[in-house]
Amino acid sequence: VAIDLNADLGEGFGIWRLGDDDALMSVVTSANVACGFHAGDPITMQRVCEQAAARGVAIGAQVGYRDLAGFGRRRIDIPADELTADLLYQVGALQACARAAGAAVAYLKPHGALYNTAADDQDQARAIVRAASLAGDLPVLGLPGSALAVAVEAAGLRFVAEGFIDRAYTPNGRLVPRTEPGAVHHDAALALEQARELANGRVTATDGALLAMPVHSLCLHGDTAGAVELASAVRAALEGDGIELGPFATP
Amino acid sequence: VAIDLNADLGEGFGIWRLGDDDALMSVVTSANVACGFHAGDPITMQRVCEQAAARGVAIGAQVGYRDLAGFGRRRIDIPADELTADLLYQVGALQACARAAGAAVAYLKPHGALYNTAADDQDQARAIVRAASLAGDLPVLGLPGSALAVAVEAAGLRFVAEGFIDRAYTPNGRLVPRTEPGAVHHDAALALEQARELANGRVTATDGALLAMPVHSLCLHGDTAGAVELASAVRAALEGDGIELGPFATP
Amino acid sequence: VAIDLNADLGEGFGIWRLGDDDALMSVVTSANVACGFHAGDPITMQRVCEQAAARGVAIGAQVGYRDLAGFGRRRIDIPADELTADLLYQVGALQACARAAGAAVAYLKPHGALYNTAADDQDQARAIVRAASLAGDLPVLGLPGSALAVAVEAAGLRFVAEGFIDRAYTPNGRLVPRTEPGAVHHDAALALEQARELANGRVTATDGALLAMPVHSLCLHGDTAGAVELASAVRAALEGDGIELGPFATP
Amino acid sequence: VAIDLNADLGEGFGIWRLGDDDALMSVVTSANVACGFHAGDPITMQRVCEQAAARGVAIGAQVGYRDLAGFGRRRIDIPADELTADLLYQVGALQACARAAGAAVAYLKPHGALYNTAADDQDQARAIVRAASLAGDLPVLGLPGSALAVAVEAAGLRFVAEGFIDRAYTPNGRLVPRTEPGAVHHDAALALEQARELANGRVTATDGALLAMPVHSLCLHGDTAGAVELASAVRAALEGDGIELGPFATP
């Protein structure tokens, strides 16, 4: 089965840009496109969809809290029904952009604080699932073992697990919290090695043990120094290993 | 052929309400639903779509400038391609809400300053038409004789002309500008009489002449004193006249 | 010492209104003016300041989270330094409006979810205090016994305790949570009686005991049915009791 | 009399940055600080004010339309009284930030489409002037010969004329419109030479004539390729010419 490479794209707003969309688009197989609430503006969404369609990259709805000022990185205690409506709205907007480009939205991925909240908060996790369901039973991309994963599967939708090439894993297979030392692999070689492990369904934990970590997609970053180079190196290494790359979902 | 009664609905935002949506929903055959840029929030959009679907009322995308502070009543000089993207985004968001309610968006109607600008400005008119086209070749509801009407028909889409029951018409069939005396019929009886004329394809101009005014829809208002009562009276009068009422478009 | 009557004013946004500002302005001695982040627009702020200045009503900065869609009622996990900056920005904007009206901002009061969060969350409480300090050592109006009260006094600023005429108090002097039955006095006569008690520094708790509850201001509401009538009745009753009414702070 | 060097600073929003604020801050004598409506967020405003205060750089309120999505570059037909309130709000917010940094706002400069509109539109020009007046009779920095210049002086406020080092001037002393060829000097050497002329109250027009062009400030840019280098070169050249540099206004 093919491994998917996903990254966040279209995360500018108006005159402001973030990351190198063009470079990333040539690396990923799935593009998480920001939908306007925490980042992303309509004309950028349209253009990213056109590029993705031209390259055969799958389009995902990168949905988040209504929080341009905080880039969706601030947890917001929003009632579940309002959250569902906010997310459905975002997905619908992106669906129109995708259709205009001759494509379609293939999945949903929560962004930032919503991603983190949905790892533990069942109400918000279920609100996300309900939006994915109302938007056409979209697959959901996220953290394995999370409340979101449970809620997605309970609803009969498809959950797609992603792995992080630059985050350390605990012996029981969870991400080391960012507040702890060693949580992030700043060394590109280490990240590259972890990418190759994850592409084979494994990861080396902080205690040196090799864990099973069955993920279908690897999350790449594009907005930090050296990120695009690392993403390209990951793609090249996996291709060199003979691993098939491709989107996990086509609409 | 049936006459359509359209009105603006869902024009609140968050805690704020505008007009009596419930009352209007029982009068109209087409609901112009605000899509979040000048008014309208996602959960309200969802609820209005559910109500419309339950009553067989057609759902239209009431699209406008990104201008919550000005309720879309301020003309904005936005480049045509950015305007198209903004409108496509709004329509897509509403389409998702409509689909979730088992319905679909049947038409597009520009709001406020965008409506007025599109009466004369060919660039903005064409930007609207392009959004309607990209969103699935939606019919466009608007002012007969406007630049928008011309642009819609030039693009091969369906233009639906609406009449105003409470606005005076000049001898050559245009609306008397609001800045002139007598532009608005504040007398409900006069508005009611004009509604009956328009439903028969005619209107009495300011010089007393009876003009041909072939309109397919009558625009009702809901946000002024007595507006809902007038709207109900219009519906009752037309029904009493044996005129068939119904949406002009079903998706 | 005079008792202050405070209420939220200027809580509309653009075309949308909330509550009856004109009526409330004739009742209160302090107006908590919304500053644009959760409600309130600049021209409304200017007008409310002019009215307050004309009537000798004290102007307070009703500051909140950046959350128009949620009316500031959603807790947001924002870093303390960013919260301070957001609040300082809001106070400064209102200060300019007040100065233009020949008045000044006399105090700060957090709104909605920020008010509730600051009752327990020391980081956000201190962020509010820092904004009050940077904005000119403004007094802070809030809940007695809260983390905010502690933080204000620790910083050497003036904390002003307010009482709620329509909320039940527990035997240990806290508000009964809204989720519990009997939390809110829906009976106007009961609220009126509690107002008279609070104006004398006492309140009857849910167990019938009469507690000392030294408050300097009573919080009135204006956005619910009968609220303005109740507010007027409270004022009339206190005046009838010979209690002096007046703002707790003049800049 | 000293020549002032002004540039736009603090034009990011949230996670997004624009231009190199730190580099520019070491070149200019006046910083036009974005105030949150078209760019600029509260914590950035606070930090820029602190840096300006530390360096003795004058702080100006870079005010604009409420238009984050368009960076204030879209003309908006907003009623004059609402525009005044919007601008007063922005200035007040910056004044609070400046005061917190031990400084004060020394002047006002309209941004983007507001700058251009105020060159010809008397209503909007007067709305700006009224805000400057209400905010404490602030000097206004702008285009010589504009409607804004006339309105500022008619109101008895101080108008400060600025020159553009990279824009061609017509024989009658106006800027060549951007739509015409040669409107912008893309050659740094040419811009540098024009800066030296303007610092001496002159400019060479498109017909080769040397015009009197008495300006008090030179506008530098920071958000284009090579802009910071050019700005530094201008400062060095003027200092090498023995021209005194300094802010035109201190509060």
Side-chain angles (χ1 to χ4, degrees):
Chain A
V1 62
I3 286 289
D4 175 71
L5 301 178
N6 81 79
D8 293 340
L9 276 93
E11 291 186 314
F13 187 77
I15 198 175
W16 301 291
R17 303 291 94 197
L18 192 75
D20 184 344
D21 280 359
D22 290 340
L24 273 181
M25 189 62 89
S26 67
V27 173
V28 298
T29 53
S30 290
N32 317 316
V33 185
C35 294
F37 271 42
H38 62 275
D41 56 75
I43 201 163
T44 299
M45 290 165 64
Q46 243 190 311
R47 288 175 181 160
V48 172
C49 285
E50 286 164 6
Q51 292 174 1
R55 287 180 172 275
V57 168
I59 296 169
Q62 179 202 135
V63 294
Y65 293 122
R66 191 191 283 266
D67 174 27
L68 286 174
F71 192 53
R73 291 183 171 169
R74 303 166 178 170
R75 181 194 162 119
I76 301 182
D77 283 348
I78 177 175
D81 58 348
E82 297 181 22
L83 178 56
T84 293
D86 277 7
L87 303 183
L88 179 62
Y89 181 102
Q90 294 175 61
V91 176
L94 184 66
Q95 285 174 324
C97 295
R99 275 194 305 271
V105 171
Y107 65 95
L108 179 155
K109 179 178 178 181
H111 167 81
L114 181 61
Y115 187 97
N116 294 333
T117 300
D120 297 311
D121 182 308
Q122 298 195 1
D123 279 352
Q124 294 212 5
R126 281 193 287 249
I128 295 169
V129 173
R130 180 138 180 79
S133 172
L134 290 173
D137 288 340
L138 293 177
V140 176
L141 177 61
L143 186 70
S146 60
L148 180 61
V150 173
V152 169
E153 288 169 354
L157 298 186
R158 179 178 175 208
F159 181 78
V160 179
E162 67 173 350
F164 294 87
I165 67 172
D166 60 352
R167 291 291 300 277
Y169 284 80
T170 67
N172 61 352
R174 311 308 298 250
L175 297 176
V176 174
R178 281 181 180 277
T179 48
E180 295 185 16
V184 177
H185 302 331
H186 295 292
D187 176 43
L190 185 54
L192 190 58
E193 182 51 32
Q194 184 157 310
R196 300 171 81 174
E197 287 184 355
L198 287 166
N200 287 286
R202 302 189 288 265
V203 73
T204 301
T206 48
D207 65 351
L210 191 63
L211 308 179
M213 182 56 59
V215 296
H216 205 136
S217 182
L218 303 185
C219 181
L220 307 178
H221 295 294
D223 58 349
T224 52
V228 171
E229 292 70 20
L230 175 58
S232 300
V234 165
R235 181 174 181 121
L238 298 188
E239 288 176 334
D241 288 351
I243 291 172
E244 189 190 352
L245 301 178
F248 61 82
T250 48
Chain B
V1 62
I3 286 289
D4 176 72
L5 301 178
N6 82 80
D8 293 340
L9 276 93
E11 291 186 313
F13 187 76
I15 197 176
W16 301 291
R17 302 291 91 197
L18 193 73
D20 183 344
D21 281 359
D22 291 340
L24 273 180
M25 189 63 89
S26 67
V27 173
V28 298
T29 53
S30 289
N32 317 315
V33 185
C35 295
F37 270 43
H38 63 275
D41 56 76
I43 201 164
T44 299
M45 290 165 64
Q46 242 189 312
R47 289 174 181 162
V48 172
C49 285
E50 286 165 6
Q51 292 173 359
R55 287 180 172 275
V57 168
I59 297 168
Q62 179 200 135
V63 295
Y65 294 122
R66 192 192 283 265
D67 175 27
L68 285 175
F71 192 53
R73 291 184 171 166
R74 303 166 178 171
R75 181 193 162 120
I76 302 182
D77 283 349
I78 177 174
D81 57 348
E82 297 182 21
L83 178 57
T84 293
D86 278 5
L87 303 183
L88 179 62
Y89 180 102
Q90 294 175 60
V91 177
L94 184 65
Q95 286 174 323
C97 295
R99 273 194 306 272
V105 172
Y107 65 95
L108 178 156
K109 180 179 177 179
H111 167 81
L114 182 61
Y115 188 97
N116 294 332
T117 300
D120 296 311
D121 183 308
Q122 297 195 0
D123 279 353
Q124 295 213 3
R126 281 193 286 250
I128 295 169
V129 173
R130 182 138 179 78
S133 172
L134 290 172
D137 289 339
L138 293 178
V140 176
L141 176 60
L143 185 69
S146 61
L148 179 61
V150 173
V152 169
E153 288 169 354
L157 299 185
R158 178 177 174 209
F159 181 78
V160 179
E162 68 173 350
F164 293 88
I165 67 172
D166 61 351
R167 291 291 300 276
Y169 284 80
T170 68
N172 60 353
R174 312 307 298 250
L175 296 175
V176 174
R178 281 182 181 277
T179 48
E180 295 185 16
V184 177
H185 302 332
H186 295 294
D187 177 43
L190 185 53
L192 189 58
E193 182 51 33
Q194 184 157 310
R196 299 171 81 174
E197 285 184 356
L198 286 166
N200 286 287
R202 303 189 287 266
V203 74
T204 301
T206 47
D207 65 351
L210 192 62
L211 307 178
M213 182 55 60
V215 296
H216 205 135
S217 182
L218 302 186
C219 181
L220 306 178
H221 295 294
D223 57 350
T224 52
V228 171
E229 291 71 19
L230 177 57
S232 300
V234 166
R235 180 171 183 125
L238 298 188
E239 288 177 333
D241 287 352
I243 291 172
E244 190 189 352
L245 301 179
F248 61 83
T250 47
Chain C
V1 62
I3 286 290
D4 176 72
L5 301 178
N6 82 80
D8 292 341
L9 277 92
E11 290 186 315
F13 187 75
I15 198 176
W16 301 291
R17 302 292 92 197
L18 193 73
D20 184 342
D21 281 0
D22 290 340
L24 273 180
M25 188 63 90
S26 67
V27 172
V28 298
T29 53
S30 289
N32 317 315
V33 185
C35 294
F37 270 42
H38 63 275
D41 56 75
I43 201 164
T44 299
M45 290 165 64
Q46 242 189 310
R47 288 176 181 159
V48 172
C49 285
E50 286 164 6
Q51 291 173 0
R55 287 180 172 275
V57 168
I59 296 168
Q62 179 200 133
V63 294
Y65 293 123
R66 191 193 283 265
D67 174 26
L68 285 174
F71 191 53
R73 290 184 172 167
R74 303 168 179 170
R75 181 193 161 120
I76 301 181
D77 283 348
I78 176 175
D81 58 347
E82 297 181 22
L83 178 56
T84 293
D86 278 6
L87 302 184
L88 179 62
Y89 181 101
Q90 293 175 61
V91 177
L94 185 65
Q95 286 174 323
C97 294
R99 274 195 305 271
V105 172
Y107 66 95
L108 179 155
K109 178 178 177 180
H111 167 80
L114 182 60
Y115 187 96
N116 294 332
T117 300
D120 297 310
D121 184 306
Q122 297 196 0
D123 279 353
Q124 294 213 6
R126 281 192 287 250
I128 295 169
V129 173
R130 180 137 181 78
S133 171
L134 290 172
D137 289 339
L138 293 178
V140 176
L141 177 59
L143 185 69
S146 61
L148 179 61
V150 173
V152 169
E153 287 169 355
L157 298 186
R158 178 178 174 208
F159 182 77
V160 179
E162 66 173 351
F164 293 87
I165 67 171
D166 60 352
R167 291 292 299 278
Y169 283 80
T170 68
N172 61 351
R174 311 307 298 250
L175 296 175
V176 174
R178 280 182 181 277
T179 49
E180 295 185 16
V184 177
H185 302 332
H186 295 293
D187 177 43
L190 186 53
L192 189 60
E193 182 51 32
Q194 185 157 310
R196 298 170 83 174
E197 285 184 355
L198 286 166
N200 286 287
R202 302 189 287 264
V203 74
T204 300
T206 48
D207 64 351
L210 192 63
L211 308 178
M213 183 54 61
V215 295
H216 204 135
S217 182
L218 302 186
C219 180
L220 306 178
H221 295 295
D223 57 351
T224 52
V228 170
E229 291 69 22
L230 176 58
S232 299
V234 166
R235 180 171 181 125
L238 298 188
E239 287 176 333
D241 288 350
I243 291 171
E244 190 189 352
L245 301 178
F248 61 84
T250 47
Chain D
V1 61
I3 287 289
D4 176 71
L5 301 178
N6 81 80
D8 292 340
L9 276 92
E11 290 186 314
F13 186 76
I15 199 177
W16 301 292
R17 303 290 93 198
L18 193 74
D20 184 343
D21 281 0
D22 290 341
L24 273 181
M25 190 61 90
S26 68
V27 173
V28 298
T29 52
S30 290
N32 317 316
V33 185
C35 295
F37 271 41
H38 62 276
D41 55 74
I43 201 165
T44 300
M45 290 165 65
Q46 243 190 310
R47 289 175 180 159
V48 172
C49 284
E50 286 164 7
Q51 292 174 358
R55 287 181 173 274
V57 168
I59 296 168
Q62 179 200 134
V63 293
Y65 293 122
R66 190 192 283 265
D67 174 27
L68 285 174
F71 192 52
R73 289 182 172 169
R74 303 167 178 170
R75 180 192 162 120
I76 301 181
D77 283 348
I78 176 175
D81 57 348
E82 297 181 22
L83 178 56
T84 293
D86 278 6
L87 303 183
L88 179 62
Y89 181 102
Q90 293 175 62
V91 177
L94 184 65
Q95 286 174 323
C97 296
R99 274 194 305 271
V105 172
Y107 65 96
L108 179 156
K109 180 179 176 179
H111 168 81
L114 182 61
Y115 188 97
N116 294 332
T117 300
D120 296 311
D121 183 308
Q122 296 196 359
D123 279 352
Q124 294 211 6
R126 281 192 287 249
I128 295 170
V129 172
R130 180 136 181 80
S133 172
L134 290 172
D137 289 339
L138 294 178
V140 176
L141 176 61
L143 185 69
S146 61
L148 180 61
V150 173
V152 169
E153 287 169 353
L157 298 186
R158 179 177 175 207
F159 181 79
V160 178
E162 67 173 350
F164 293 87
I165 68 172
D166 60 352
R167 291 291 299 277
Y169 284 80
T170 67
N172 62 352
R174 311 308 298 251
L175 296 176
V176 174
R178 280 181 181 277
T179 49
E180 295 185 16
V184 177
H185 302 332
H186 296 292
D187 177 44
L190 186 52
L192 190 59
E193 181 52 31
Q194 185 157 309
R196 300 170 81 175
E197 285 183 356
L198 286 165
N200 287 286
R202 302 188 289 263
V203 74
T204 300
T206 48
D207 65 352
L210 192 63
L211 308 178
M213 183 55 61
V215 295
H216 205 135
S217 182
L218 302 186
C219 180
L220 306 177
H221 295 296
D223 57 350
T224 52
V228 170
E229 293 69 22
L230 176 58
S232 300
V234 165
R235 180 172 182 124
L238 299 187
E239 288 176 333
D241 288 352
I243 290 172
E244 189 189 352
L245 301 178
F248 61 83
T250 47

